Amino acid sequence: MNATIDDTNTAPNTAPNTAAKTAHASGSGEIRLVNLSMSFGATKAVNEVNLTIPHGSYCCMIGPSGCGKTTILRMVAGHETPTSGEVFIGDTMVVGQPPVNRGTAMMFQSYALFPHLSILDNVAFYLKMRSVAKDDRRRQARAMLERVQLDHLHDRMPAQLSGGQQQRVALARALITNPKVLLLDEPLSALDEFLRLQMRGELKGLQSELGITFLHVTHTQPEAIALADMVVVMDNGTIEQAGTARDIFDKPRTPYVARFMGAQNVLTGTVDNKSGTTVVLKTASGEALEVPGDRVNASVGEAVSVSIRRDLIAVHRAETGSTGDVNTIEGVVEATEYQGNFVKIGVIVKGVETFVANVSDQAYFAEPVIPGDKVRVSWNIDAVHVLAKVDAGNEGSPYGV
Amino acid sequence: MSERRSFITQLQVAPLTLVLFLFFVVPVALVVIVSFFRYQMLVGLVPDFTFKNYYDLLTNPTTWALYLSTLKFTLMVLVITLVLGFWLSYFLVFHVRNLVVAIGLFLLCTIPFWTSNIIRMISWRPILGREGLVNQGLQEVGLIDKPLDWLLFSDFSVVITYVHLFTLFMMVPIFNSMARIDKALLEAAIDAGATRWGVIWNVVLPLSKTGIALGALFVVTLVMGDFAVVKVMSGGLSGSATSGMFNDLQFLNYPRAAANAVILLIIVMLIATGIFRLIDVRKELVR
């Protein structure tokens, strides 16, 4: 109620009858988190997080369950009050403000549609709370349902809809508030694979069409990579890395990110020789790794971790080639998995976790290997990416420690 | 094969059917039959088919007064237990975040049920009586000079006892309905700009309807069928529909008592129908 009055007062350039609709259309949807912390008892769910999400970007937060990503989302939404720190949306500090005044709208994981209301009334709920007349709010809600192609079902109850349809209703219900920021809590996790890919495309299309900020929490790497302008990888309540999808995927900053994004092998060695354009690392098991010299700052004797993308690794039988080559490691094939356009080969290497290579199907079938085969894995020196942090174990490994 | 299966099915439902038949259908049928019998002083029951019992009852102003009094109590108790039951449940479900604490508090509500209805009813007398706790307390504080008479043996004491006895019957079904409400729905409503009252009115209340209907049904049947509370707590000053039957029974006028019972049954069933018209419990339960 207050919000309606405020809006009409502070937005004299908009006609009063459309004030509710355009209340949040102006103003920036930039999200800025400053030293944001959240504790539940003794556990710190979110620990001193600083992050700026630019206006109009699609940001995906990704991390294992319990990493604090959903808590951050809920603090931005106003459903959780931070223990300390600040949340800015645009230029406004929003901590302590009710959700409706923040210009955010949230799409819940389980959609949270009101089961006792038709989908039309679900979508119109926000307008009802703003005391918009019944005919008017139903007309606006139908227009919004039309936008998500559900107008023909407007008198159905949520339980009569499929998962994908329910999600569209949830989307319509969020968008009718005309938000600056749309918050999505694992929106695709309840859908089957086909629908997930379809909705993923639609979300992305919608975001570029509306030009508002999307903050999307997910635990699925391909989803984050495909959707996001900005990916934020989280672990234990802190941000491991925030950057473009390409940066996160191709240039992970830490071993955790390299492993968590699922596309990298991490190797650690000490600097053995630093001469000119290449630096040689010696691994614990004695293999020599060559690394482009301009990427290493460490001096001789210091430990350095590197990552190598799975798809830039070649696998050959041990008989071919010779031992002692640089950037070549011997191992035994543990498992192979045909993925259609590539074959995933797990190789057990002494002193390293399981080493994974994604070999193109042509390359694989030209020289097939089966579990138990002795192989040599090798890679080009340019494929080696130097991590900013030395590996401290199998952090982020999908295989666990 | 199908014959055999239908036989097994019939065998499986037989015990319940038998119990319902023996202890529900037969007694009700007997009451209905007896309500048409004739009553003769010193003799008692005389088989007959007469509407005299009904006629006598419906033309007697005492019957109407008793039914009105019962309906009045029912309505008052319904409103009070509804308010109490709703807010107690609301507190337990949505405010107590710790599930263990919520269950503990819920069990606390059931403690009075560890003693019998009679004892819980009688225990109000030393509290509300002329020399009771309340009167003495108020006198000592100096709020009143002489004891309040309307505390005990009054409509007040009847209603307070009913509320004490029956609030839990209202609360449990509402609690059950509320506990099944997804908490995210409340957040979704707040997200859409609903105030605390907006959330309660637009989300919690509609989704608690089933519980409210069931609770109301419990309270209505309990109050309408009560006889002891009114008699004890009003000190004989008020009566209920059932006390009319009790009087008839004392004079061994079974036919008129039976007719009265049939009337009461019809009224309660009408009220129940009304409640289920308002709220389709079966539809809500399968939701």
Side-chain angles (χ1 to χ4, degrees):
Chain A
M1 292 301 289
N2 287 334
T4 320
I5 295 160
D6 287 347
D7 287 336
T8 46
N9 285 346
T10 55
N13 50 342
T14 43
N17 60 336
T18 56
K21 211 175 161 231
T22 54
H24 304 304
S26 57
S28 164
E30 180 191 78
I31 304 171
R32 198 147 51 86
L33 313 178
V34 182
N35 296 327
L36 194 65
S37 289
M38 180 73 192
S39 306
F40 296 105
T43 45
K44 281 206 160 179
V46 175
N47 194 359
E48 296 282 316
V49 163
N50 287 286
L51 180 68
T52 302
I53 302 167
H55 169 71
S57 58
Y58 200 124
C59 175
C60 278
M61 284 197 151
I62 187 165
S65 52
C67 71
K69 57 190 193 298
T70 300
T71 309
I72 288 184
L73 190 81
R74 291 172 56 78
M75 287 193 284
V76 175
H79 294 306
E80 210 86 70
T81 309
T83 316
S84 64
E86 292 168 313
V87 177
F88 290 88
I89 293 174
D91 298 323
T92 321
M93 216 289 273
V94 294
V95 172
Q97 284 195 34
V100 72
N101 292 353
R102 298 181 176 210
T104 58
M106 182 146 167
M107 216 172 107
F108 292 83
Q109 188 175 7
S110 53
Y111 313 139
L113 297 177
F114 303 120
H116 58 295
L117 299 178
S118 69
I119 65 170
L120 184 68
D121 287 335
N122 260 284
V123 176
F125 192 86
Y126 166 78
L127 301 170
K128 189 182 178 191
M129 292 302 108
R130 308 203 125 208
S131 307
V132 176
K134 193 167 195 166
D135 290 343
D136 196 17
R137 67 177 187 247
R138 291 213 157 148
R139 193 176 43 72
Q140 289 188 37
R142 282 193 75 146
M144 191 50 83
L145 279 175
E146 216 162 281
R147 187 168 193 166
V148 294
Q149 295 122 44
L150 282 177
D151 187 40
H152 58 296
L153 301 174
H154 67 269
D155 51 358
R156 297 274 183 95
M157 302 304 271
Q160 296 170 300
L161 265 52
S162 73
Q165 291 169 332
Q166 289 186 21
Q167 173 157 51
R168 285 162 195 274
V169 177
L171 198 57
R173 190 179 63 177
L175 290 179
I176 206 164
T177 68
N178 219 345
K180 291 185 283 192
V181 174
L182 186 64
L183 305 164
L184 305 107
D185 187 6
E186 309 211 2
L188 306 175
S189 62
L191 301 177
D192 63 45
E193 189 62 24
F194 176 75
L195 263 179
R196 181 155 46 224
L197 293 181
Q198 191 194 341
M199 275 311 291
R200 191 164 95 180
E202 286 185 23
L203 281 179
K204 182 71 180 167
L206 195 67
Q207 191 268 335
S208 34
E209 184 196 327
L210 294 171
I212 61 174
T213 312
F214 273 37
L215 178 54
H216 175 138
V217 159
T218 177
H219 57 251
T220 318
Q221 287 86 350
E223 201 171 295
I225 297 287
L227 283 170
D229 305 319
M230 180 185 196
V231 177
V232 178
V233 184
M234 291 200 61
D235 185 36
N236 282 329
T238 55
I239 293 176
E240 279 284 320
Q241 188 174 358
T244 62
R246 178 138 200 255
D247 269 356
I248 299 280
F249 188 78
D250 197 48
K251 304 258 184 300
R253 209 175 58 80
T254 63
Y256 175 87
V257 177
R259 288 201 186 90
F260 186 77
M261 294 313 288
Q264 308 262 2
N265 295 288
V266 177
L267 294 172
T268 305
T270 47
V271 179
D272 188 52
N273 185 345
K274 208 175 174 182
S275 60
T277 54
T278 54
V279 169
V280 178
L281 306 179
K282 270 269 186 289
T283 66
S285 49
E287 265 93 24
L289 308 176
E290 273 193 359
V291 181
D294 52 340
R295 298 183 193 169
V296 181
N297 292 325
S299 42
V300 175
E302 283 183 335
V304 171
S305 284
V306 298
S307 66
I308 304 126
R309 265 167 59 174
R310 289 177 175 181
D311 54 336
L312 298 179
I313 293 168
V315 178
H316 294 288
R317 289 176 197 279
E319 306 92 71
T320 60
S322 55
T323 52
D325 285 356
V326 289
N327 292 349
T328 300
I329 304 182
E330 286 191 31
V332 176
V333 175
E334 182 187 40
T336 61
E337 203 174 86
Y338 181 56
Q339 305 267 355
N341 53 355
F342 68 90
V343 180
K344 181 178 164 189
I345 305 174
V347 180
I348 302 173
V349 176
K350 197 172 50 170
V352 195
E353 76 213 69
T354 304
F355 206 84
V356 180
N358 290 348
V359 180
S360 77
D361 60 333
Q362 281 133 339
Y364 177 82
F365 289 109
E367 194 187 340
V369 291
I370 54 166
D373 282 0
K374 274 195 161 180
V375 290
R376 254 186 217 119
V377 291
S378 58
W379 56 88
N380 193 307
I381 182 167
D382 288 330
V384 180
H385 169 69
V386 179
L387 299 169
K389 204 172 136 190
V390 177
D391 195 15
N394 278 358
E395 342 166 276
S397 163
Y399 302 100
V401 179
Chain B
M1 188 62 198
S2 76
E3 222 168 82
R4 190 183 141 81
R5 198 177 295 159
S6 85
F7 171 73
I8 292 175
T9 311
Q10 283 171 15
L11 199 70
Q12 283 170 328
V13 296
L16 184 63
T17 313
L18 203 69
V19 167
L20 283 177
F21 184 77
L22 280 178
F23 299 103
F24 177 69
V25 177
V26 170
V28 171
L30 277 178
V31 167
V32 173
I33 290 167
V34 169
S35 73
F36 294 107
F37 280 14
R38 192 151 47 81
Y39 168 71
Q40 201 175 336
M41 206 84 86
L42 302 176
V43 179
L45 285 176
V46 179
D48 197 354
F49 186 78
T50 170
F51 287 97
K52 189 175 178 303
N53 302 313
Y54 289 97
Y55 181 79
D56 283 355
L57 280 169
L58 294 176
T59 52
N60 188 344
T62 316
T63 316
W64 290 94
L66 286 174
Y67 272 94
L68 277 180
S69 153
T70 305
L71 282 174
K72 178 189 75 186
F73 283 133
T74 306
L75 207 64
M76 288 167 80
V77 174
L78 198 59
V79 170
I80 297 171
T81 54
L82 178 60
V83 171
L84 283 176
F86 185 84
W87 290 113
L88 286 170
S89 304
Y90 183 82
F91 173 78
L92 287 181
V93 174
F94 296 113
H95 274 261
V96 183
R97 291 195 166 199
N98 187 333
L99 186 68
V100 180
V101 177
I103 291 172
L105 288 173
F106 186 79
L107 288 177
L108 214 61
C109 294
T110 67
I111 285 183
F113 279 74
W114 298 359
T115 58
S116 83
N117 267 8
I118 306 288
I119 292 174
R120 282 191 291 149
M121 184 170 76
I122 301 291
S123 62
W124 279 105
R125 295 178 87 157
I127 295 174
L128 298 176
R130 276 188 71 86
E131 308 293 318
L133 282 176
V134 174
N135 270 328
Q136 278 183 359
L138 288 177
Q139 274 173 301
E140 253 160 61
V141 175
L143 281 175
I144 50 172
D145 310 326
K146 54 179 191 185
L148 298 171
D149 287 328
W150 53 265
L151 283 180
L152 190 60
F153 304 134
S154 60
D155 286 358
F156 174 78
S157 58
V158 174
V159 171
I160 213 170
T161 312
Y162 277 141
V163 168
H164 176 212
L165 292 176
F166 301 147
T167 297
L168 197 68
F169 291 100
M170 180 65 97
M171 187 188 146
V172 170
I174 297 180
F175 179 86
N176 187 40
S177 291
M178 273 188 195
R180 295 193 307 170
I181 298 177
D182 183 357
K183 302 274 194 295
L185 292 182
L186 275 64
E187 285 179 350
I190 292 168
D191 221 57
T195 57
R196 181 182 287 250
W197 282 103
V199 174
I200 291 171
W201 184 253
N202 290 295
V203 180
V204 178
L205 196 63
L207 291 174
S208 306
K209 273 194 321 195
T210 319
I212 292 172
L214 290 174
L217 194 65
F218 284 140
V219 170
V220 166
T221 48
L222 285 167
V223 176
M224 295 287 288
D226 168 70
F227 146 75
V229 173
V230 169
K231 189 173 164 65
V232 174
M233 296 311 289
S234 76
L237 295 175
S238 282
S240 68
T242 329
S243 42
M245 293 175 219
F246 183 77
N247 288 340
D248 285 338
L249 287 176
Q250 283 186 318
F251 294 104
L252 301 181
N253 191 344
Y254 291 109
R256 199 161 73 182
N260 208 342
V262 172
I263 292 172
L264 181 62
L265 192 65
I266 289 169
I267 290 175
V268 171
M269 274 162 64
L270 284 176
I271 295 176
T273 313
I275 290 172
F276 289 136
R277 268 284 159 79
L278 282 176
I279 300 159
D280 189 346
V281 173
R282 271 192 302 179
K283 195 183 107 197
E284 303 275 330
L285 283 179
V286 295
R287 193 188 63 220

